[in-house]
Amino acid sequence: DITEFGSPSQGPPLDAICEALEACTKPVICAIDGTALGGGLELALACHWRIATPRAKVGLPEVNIGILPGAGGTQRLPRLAGVEASLKLITTGAMVPAPMAMKLGIIDTVVEAGGKGQPPLRD
């Protein structure tokens, strides 16, 4: 989080959390309902499956403040979306709506939150 810049780190670093999620032997599923930007998207990329609601948006906006994603997003995103799309997202800081993110391969499926026959994504 940008508000933590210049402060001592608290808790495990995000890259270590992402590595642990990715290495988990049990499937890790991420549900996105809203925005997953920067570290939020990097965390989601480390999961084995990403599910989002239609209103969700994803992106790596760090470039807008002069930094690059630092928790593996620059490596994981191209594996899912390809080099061309990833380079565009990483260098522009663009936010991508869930339906487009699914077309790019960033999100595995888009579902309506609490839609008929589906459990709610949150209480």
Side-chain angles (χ1 to χ4, degrees), residues 9-33:
S9 295
Q10 295 182 349
L14 183 58
D15 59 334
I17 295 169
C18 289
E19 288 171 15
L21 285 172
E22 192 171 51
C24 190
T25 58
K26 295 190 182 347
V28 179
I29 302 169
C30 174
I32 305 168
D33 182 27

Side-chain angles (χ1 to χ4, degrees), residues 10-80:
Q10 295 182 349
L14 183 58
D15 59 334
I17 295 169
C18 289
E19 288 171 15
L21 285 172
E22 192 171 51
C24 190
T25 58
K26 295 190 182 347
V28 179
I29 302 169
C30 174
I32 305 168
D33 182 27
T35 56
L37 301 174
L41 177 57
E42 291 187 282
L43 190 65
L45 292 172
C47 295
H48 302 119
W49 192 263
R50 286 153 298 285
I51 300 170
T53 60
R55 73 184 195 122
K57 292 182 182 175
V58 299
L60 297 168
E62 294 91 328
V63 71
N64 294 321
I65 58 169
I67 59 174
L68 293 174
T74 56
Q75 291 80 42
R76 290 183 182 96
L77 187 59
R79 293 179 199 153
L80 297 172

Side-chain angles (χ1 to χ4, degrees), residues 60 73-92 104 106:
L60 297 168
T74 56
Q75 291 80 42
R76 290 183 182 96
L77 187 59
R79 293 179 199 153
L80 297 172
V83 173
E84 186 177 341
S86 298
L87 203 52
K88 186 174 182 179
L89 289 174
I90 293 166
T91 59
T92 65
L104 291 172
I106 301 167

